């Protein structure tokens, strides 16, 4: 499903795997909400990324939101635990630094 070569990742929300795709439009929307993405990457590298920021970044990068409320995404992140949620986060942050979303 997710192609890491394209900077994609996946996250399990309920019973389905959902694609996280950091497209240009998604990253612009995330930046509008979260501020400069480079600062977000810095906070993450220093362990200062908030759960709400992770939720917002994942939300904007969801390829298909369909009927998924944002709160449900947050619940999925909390259920998987921060260690597991870090895996797709690393992919997205790497794509932000690398560019080409």
């Amino acid at each position: 499903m997710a192609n890491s070569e394209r900077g994609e990742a996946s996250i399990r929300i309920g019973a389905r795997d959902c694609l996280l795709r950091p497209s240009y439009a998604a990253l612009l929307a995330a930046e509008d909400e979260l501020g400069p993405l480079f600062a977000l990457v810095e906070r993450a590298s220093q362990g200062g990324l908030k759960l709400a920021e992770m939720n917002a970044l994942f939300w904007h990068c969801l390829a298909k939101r369909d009927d998924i409320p944002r709160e449900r995404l947050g619940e999925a992140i909390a259920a998987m635990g921060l260690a597991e949620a870090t895996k797709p986060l690393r992919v997205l942050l790497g794509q932000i630094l690398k560019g080409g979303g």
Side-chain angles (χ1 to χ4, degrees), residues 62-97:
L62 270 176
K64 292 182 182 179
R65 292 186 195 148
D66 296 330
D67 60 342
I68 301 170
R70 194 165 176 168
E71 296 79 24
R72 189 164 175 211
L73 173 60
E75 291 167 0
I77 293 169
M80 68 191 309
L82 290 178
E84 193 64 28
T86 299
K87 293 175 185 176
L89 177 65
R90 282 185 183 147
V91 173
L92 296 180
L93 295 178
Q95 188 63 22
I96 289 169
L97 289 173

Side-chain angles (χ1 to χ4, degrees), residues 25-49:
L27 295 178
L28 281 178
E31 190 168 51
D32 281 345
E33 180 176 345
L34 299 168
L37 294 179
F38 188 75
L40 180 86
V41 172
E42 270 189 20
R43 285 193 301 281
S45 72
Q46 297 170 354
L49 189 68

Side-chain angles (χ1 to χ4, degrees), residues 1-4 6-13 17-23 26-27 54-65 68 73 77 80 84-93 95:
M1 183 173 180
N3 183 339
S4 61
R6 289 190 304 229
E8 298 173 345
S10 64
I11 184 170
R12 188 146 189 92
I13 302 174
D17 289 323
C18 297
L19 182 65
L20 297 172
R21 180 182 294 136
S23 68
L27 295 178
M54 184 186 303
N55 186 24
L57 180 62
F58 285 6
W59 174 254
H60 289 293
C61 290
L62 270 176
K64 292 182 182 179
R65 292 186 195 148
I68 301 170
L73 173 60
I77 293 169
M80 68 191 309
E84 193 64 28
T86 299
K87 293 175 185 176
L89 177 65
R90 282 185 183 147
V91 173
L92 296 180
L93 295 178
Q95 188 63 22

